[in-house]
Amino acid sequence: EIVAAIEAALTDGPLKGRRIVITSGPTHEPIDPVRYIANRSSGAQGTAIANALVRLGAEVVFVSGPASAPPPLGVTLVKVETAQQMHDAVMQALPADAAVFAAAVADWRAASQSAQKIKKTREGLPTLSFAENPDILAAVSQLTEGRPGLVVGFAAETDNVIEHATAKRARKGCDWIVANDVSPATGIMGGTENAVTLISADGAEDWPRMGKDLVADRLAERIADALTGKD
Amino acid sequence: EIVAAIEAALTDGPLKGRRIVITSGPTHEPIDPVRYIANRSSGAQGTAIANALVRLGAEVVFVSGPASAPPPLGVTLVKVETAQQMHDAVMQALPADAAVFAAAVADWRAASQSAQKIKKTREGLPTLSFAENPDILAAVSQLTEGRPGLVVGFAAETDNVIEHATAKRARKGCDWIVANDVSPATGIMGGTENAVTLISADGAEDWPRMGKDLVADRLAERIADALTGKD
């Protein structure tokens, strides 16, 4: 893979000279010094997309939460933990030709983070209240200045996948949504395969179930087509 | 390490023929299919303790939550995710000569787990209420039949470490508490070193800060002494 990354950097791929920001992995939102809320995300799909884009010659800024998948090679790696940190890192990484938001960002964080470990008490159980995290996809999609030419979001759903994802695309203002069904029965979360639907202005396009690497290759090709006017 | 494990199994260590149950790693408590609450724990200290006990000849059942540290070799490995599963696995693994509860078990789980991904709504943010998880340390310490001869708990504290840990020992009914200060400033959580205080009926014994492997060796020696009557 090191060889592939170097080869890509030396060759003239279709994305040569294009800068692409990718987010990947989960975010961790601290509750207190020892507890946090997390999303299930191995970072495997985001890493695969980054590798595919690098192979096509792109300059990739990879903003990653604490993922279990090893980070891609040949990218600028920015490690973050929380949604707020991810938001700030993405904004700093702009301008870019495209942005791909593959991270599983926590929608909420604990409204107040305790500096001390919360103890069990006889008075009973704690109740957590939440504050809303910055919506990175919406913020970048709705930039009036410096919006990337192509903004791609992801939608991990467990029911009414296409309906939810189509509504999400309209609500956020992004160009594409890569939607998938992460119900436990599909085995997609944490697995090596993915079955996605690409939602764009043209409608919903179902891709067959395939390896996450192949999903990444196909998406990277589509991004290259879009950025080079072949789409 | 494979060689060390085989050597231990073939040699007559002081713990030859002794069965020890160890818990390690965090637990993950699902909120919905994609979100969970977790404790910060790499599982490094628990793995090191298991390796040290195996080297002394013990038969180890290693009950591990989703840890980032690789599991020890030469043990019976039981993988779990939630506190309830860890409790059940420990009870199944008994009887044992000793039990070492090094896992960072979540005290609480979400009171009700949503089968569908919880969506953002215009009505505002969700509030999570919690249910108490089974207290594995207390349950095993207070067994009237089949209690292991030595029960060792851990206390990860961020303030008043010895006071909290001494109270915990009395409240749970265990024999020893290995207490440490996991305040972020110590760098212990996720790091390679640990600075522990061993709380027993004899009082509090501060150990110097040292590698987690050395803490494990020292604790394993103490366990061997206790089980073989040298303590």
Side-chain angles (χ1 to χ4, degrees):
Chain A
E1 280 195 287
I2 294 174
V3 174
I6 293 169
E7 272 174 10
L10 296 176
T11 57
D12 277 325
L15 289 173
K16 181 88 176 170
R18 306 296 183 135
R19 178 178 170 91
I20 302 182
V21 177
I22 304 178
T23 66
S24 183
T27 66
H28 287 182
E29 308 294 330
I31 299 171
D32 68 17
V34 300
R35 300 185 180 90
Y36 60 92
I37 301 175
N39 275 21
R40 289 180 206 280
S41 168
S42 63
Q45 187 63 79
T47 291
I49 293 166
N51 282 326
L53 290 168
V54 167
R55 280 195 297 272
L56 296 183
E59 176 201 341
V60 170
V61 180
F62 191 74
V63 180
S64 178
S68 56
L73 295 164
V75 302
T76 300
L77 175 63
V78 184
K79 289 190 176 184
V80 298
E81 182 173 351
T82 66
Q84 183 66 54
Q85 289 165 357
M86 185 171 276
H87 170 271
D88 296 349
V90 166
M91 291 303 172
Q92 285 209 335
L94 297 182
D97 297 289
V100 179
F101 296 120
V105 181
D107 294 324
W108 317 299
R109 63 177 180 276
S112 61
Q113 186 189 337
S114 171
Q116 256 102 53
K117 185 178 176 185
I118 302 168
K119 312 290 293 180
K120 281 189 194 176
T121 62
R122 290 184 196 283
E123 289 81 54
L125 298 165
T127 307
L128 270 192
S129 53
F130 293 96
E132 202 152 352
N133 272 328
D135 186 330
I136 304 172
L137 175 60
V140 172
S141 296
Q142 296 167 24
L143 280 174
T144 48
E145 273 183 54
R147 183 191 189 278
L150 180 69
V151 178
V152 182
F154 277 65
E157 305 288 346
T158 54
D159 57 299
N160 298 322
V161 175
I162 292 177
E163 182 191 330
H164 279 148
T166 302
K168 181 172 184 175
R169 177 179 172 277
R171 201 167 63 239
K172 307 291 186 185
C174 60
D175 301 297
W176 300 349
I177 288 275
V178 180
N180 63 2
D181 183 343
V182 296
S183 301
T186 65
I188 283 173
M189 197 150 262
T192 58
E193 292 191 332
N194 205 351
V196 309
T197 301
L198 183 66
I199 313 276
S200 69
D202 298 333
E205 181 184 310
D206 281 324
W207 293 5
R209 186 173 175 126
M210 56 182 122
K212 287 182 178 175
D213 284 358
L214 293 176
V215 170
D217 284 342
R218 192 157 163 174
L219 185 65
E221 297 279 358
R222 292 291 285 265
I223 290 171
D225 289 349
L227 292 187
T228 57
K230 287 192 196 156
D231 196 26
Chain B
E1 280 195 287
I2 293 174
V3 173
I6 292 169
E7 272 174 9
L10 296 175
T11 57
D12 276 325
L15 289 172
K16 181 89 176 169
R18 307 295 184 136
R19 180 178 168 91
I20 302 182
V21 177
I22 304 178
T23 66
S24 183
T27 66
H28 287 182
E29 308 294 330
I31 298 171
D32 68 16
V34 300
R35 300 184 180 91
Y36 59 93
I37 300 173
N39 276 21
R40 289 180 206 281
S41 168
S42 63
Q45 187 63 80
T47 292
I49 293 166
N51 282 325
L53 290 168
V54 166
R55 279 195 297 272
L56 296 184
E59 177 200 341
V60 170
V61 181
F62 191 75
V63 180
S64 178
S68 55
L73 295 164
V75 303
T76 300
L77 176 63
V78 184
K79 289 190 177 184
V80 299
E81 182 173 351
T82 66
Q84 183 66 54
Q85 289 165 358
M86 186 171 276
H87 170 271
D88 296 349
V90 166
M91 291 303 173
Q92 284 210 336
L94 297 181
D97 297 289
V100 179
F101 296 120
V105 181
D107 294 324
W108 317 298
R109 62 177 181 277
S112 60
Q113 187 189 338
S114 171
Q116 257 103 52
K117 184 178 176 183
I118 301 168
K119 312 291 292 180
K120 281 189 197 179
T121 63
R122 290 183 196 284
E123 288 82 56
L125 298 164
T127 306
L128 270 193
S129 53
F130 292 95
E132 202 152 352
N133 271 328
D135 186 329
I136 304 172
L137 175 60
V140 171
S141 296
Q142 296 166 25
L143 281 174
T144 49
E145 273 182 52
R147 182 191 190 276
L150 180 69
V151 179
V152 183
F154 278 65
E157 305 288 346
T158 54
D159 57 299
N160 298 321
V161 174
I162 293 178
E163 181 191 332
H164 279 147
T166 302
K168 181 172 183 175
R169 178 180 172 275
R171 201 168 62 239
K172 307 291 186 185
C174 60
D175 300 296
W176 300 349
I177 288 275
V178 179
N180 62 3
D181 184 343
V182 295
S183 300
T186 64
I188 283 172
M189 194 151 264
T192 58
E193 292 191 332
N194 205 351
V196 309
T197 301
L198 183 65
I199 313 275
S200 69
D202 299 332
E205 181 184 310
D206 281 325
W207 293 4
R209 186 172 175 126
M210 56 183 121
K212 287 182 178 175
D213 284 359
L214 293 176
V215 170
D217 284 341
R218 191 156 165 175
L219 184 66
E221 297 279 359
R222 293 291 286 265
I223 290 170
D225 288 349
L227 291 186
T228 58
K230 286 192 198 158
D231 196 24

